[in-house]
Amino acid sequence: FMIESGASIGYRAVTKRWPGAARAAVDDVSLEVAPGQFVVLLGPSGCGKTTLLKLTNRLYDPDSGQILVDGEDIAAIPAPELRRHIGYVIQQAGLFPHYRVEDNVAIVPRLLGWDRGRVAARVDELLTLAGLPPEQYRRRYPAQLSGGEQQRVGIARALAAEPRMLLMDEPFGALDAITRARLQTELRAIHQRTAQTVIFVTHDIEEAVRLADRIVVMRDGRIVQEDTPLALVMRPADPKVAELVGADDVLRRLSLIEAGSIAAPVPVGAIRPGLPVIDGNEMAREALSLLLETGSDAVVVTGPDGAPGGLLGMEEIRRASVPLPEDART
């Protein structure tokens, strides 16, 4: 399915302070999220990222500042009405245990008055998209599902009413590493097939880099850096951000840099046959492993269309792995 476009979201000097707290939970945050962007809020516990997310769907209201969706102040929209048009996924899937899978997914479309046939078709479409064949999963109860399957149903439910924005609060945090990686890959694929705007909260830099178009690093309620994943790793704003993203750890850096971003462009006719091949979306660390395993002096890096886009050898990997001096990071 494809919605027309994601929503734009604007935060204008947004502040939220809890009574008796020494500092604001969200402190004068201004941020623009473009339609269709996948933005990750990254930072340690207590940095304000979840509070900012909950301000976005009016689970909380700010003490000052504005949040605009498509230019409209959300304070002017009744909270229940706003939430019906926002998909929301939390760490525990939050499924209703006595509802079957199909009924969990259908909740918001039914609230919106969709007819029976449209609801049924949408449920089947979304279960298929989430990798849960409808004929097998439609009639199951949440207790009959694994944790990963429950999160898939949670994502399907969040997408059900074709929301133009999706808010996700550490949705994969409780899952094992293999399931988590698989769902990250599927979520990215789902986002590429839709035009939704996504704001995703995590404290895991590898998850952030795997998913994000842009990463917003928060600390003590404020934004300390906002950039693309690659730029964040290459030029952290300060030593604390550098530590957060592992900027001085060679293998960590290589695990966060896409092979396609550091490959040397080479005309297709100049590429020797028989070289190992890697997708440009794979990380440079995987390219290094392939070089070491095969003994080759280079790997062919393919572009989005699967065609050769360049060559990646030890020299390109060495350059990418050298940390920038601190005075060049800002």
Side-chain angles (χ1 to χ4, degrees), residues 27 60 66 102 155 157 183-184 189 202 230 239 266 276 296 328:
D27 189 1
Y60 308 142
Q66 289 181 303
E102 62 184 352
I155 293 169
R157 181 175 65 182
L183 285 182
Q184 288 166 356
T202 186
L230 182 60
V266 177
S296 176

Side-chain angles (χ1 to χ4, degrees), residues 177-190:
I178 293 172
T179 303
R180 183 173 185 156
R182 188 177 299 133
L183 285 182
Q184 288 166 356
T185 300
E186 291 183 6
L187 176 61
R188 190 65 196 172
I190 287 170

Side-chain angles (χ1 to χ4, degrees), residues 289-310:
S289 296
L290 197 56
L291 287 172
L292 295 174
E293 287 166 11
T294 62
S296 176
D297 62 345
V299 296
V300 178
V301 179
T302 60
D305 58 356

Side-chain angles (χ1 to χ4, degrees), residues 277-292:
V277 177
I278 191 169
D279 188 289
N281 291 324
E282 293 285 346
M283 298 302 162
R285 185 171 180 170
E286 300 304 317
L288 175 61
S289 296
L290 197 56
L291 287 172
L292 295 174

Side-chain angles (χ1 to χ4, degrees), residues 10-276:
Y11 301 87
R12 308 286 166 80
V14 174
T15 295
K16 179 67 179 179
R17 183 183 294 274
W18 304 117
R23 59 171 176 79
V26 171
D27 189 1
D28 194 33
V29 164
S30 293
L31 174 68
E32 298 297 325
V33 179
Q37 271 195 331
F38 197 123
V39 172
V40 169
L41 304 180
L42 176 70
S45 297
C47 71
K49 55 192 188 297
T50 291
T51 301
L52 188 63
L53 197 76
K54 290 182 175 180
L55 289 166
T56 310
N57 66 354
R58 294 200 60 196
L59 288 172
Y60 308 142
D61 287 321
D63 297 328
S64 59
Q66 289 181 303
I67 300 174
L68 308 177
V69 173
D70 290 332
E72 182 177 0
D73 190 337
I74 65 171
I77 306 171
E81 174 64 21
L82 175 72
R83 289 181 203 132
R84 285 176 189 169
H85 299 282
I86 297 176
Y88 190 54
V89 186
I90 58 176
Q91 184 171 125
Q92 304 298 339
L95 304 178
F96 292 105
H98 303 301
Y99 283 18
R100 296 182 190 274
V101 164
E102 62 184 352
D103 297 316
N104 267 287
V105 176
I107 287 169
V108 176
R110 286 174 180 162
L111 281 174
L112 295 174
W114 289 20
D115 67 64
R116 217 178 205 169
R118 185 183 177 194
V119 170
R122 183 66 172 159
V123 168
D124 284 0
E125 179 183 27
L126 285 167
L127 290 179
T128 301
L129 188 69
L132 301 171
E135 62 279 4
Q136 294 179 37
Y137 286 91
R138 192 191 295 116
R139 303 290 292 167
R140 292 189 189 180
Y141 289 97
Q144 297 172 303
L145 307 177
S146 69
E149 288 168 342
Q150 289 184 29
Q151 283 303 90
R152 290 167 192 263
V153 175
I155 293 169
R157 181 175 65 182
L159 295 170
E162 301 174 347
R164 295 177 59 229
M165 55 191 288
L166 190 60
L167 307 180
M168 309 188 79
D169 190 2
E170 305 227 30
F172 309 140
L175 303 175
D176 65 87
I178 293 172
T179 303
R180 183 173 185 156
R182 188 177 299 133
L183 285 182
Q184 288 166 356
T185 300
E186 291 183 6
L187 176 61
R188 190 65 196 172
I190 287 170
H191 179 253
Q192 288 169 353
R193 290 180 58 184
T194 70
Q196 284 155 318
T197 304
V198 180
I199 301 182
F200 186 107
V201 163
T202 186
H203 63 271
D204 183 335
I205 176 61
E206 293 189 27
E207 180 167 72
V209 170
R210 180 186 284 254
L211 292 172
D213 297 321
R214 298 188 71 78
I215 297 174
V216 176
V217 179
M218 296 187 68
R219 186 190 309 141
D220 296 337
R222 290 178 167 267
I223 293 174
V224 292
Q225 188 169 1
E226 175 202 351
D227 223 321
T228 63
L230 182 60
L232 193 76
V233 172
M234 292 298 207
R235 289 185 168 79
D238 61 34
K240 286 187 177 179
V241 175
E243 183 180 1
L244 178 69
V245 303
D248 294 329
D249 181 322
V250 170
L251 289 180
R252 185 74 177 277
R253 285 169 63 84
L254 293 178
S255 72
L256 301 177
I257 299 170
E258 290 186 353
S261 69
I262 60 171
V266 177
V268 174
I271 294 177
R272 306 191 309 275
L275 291 176

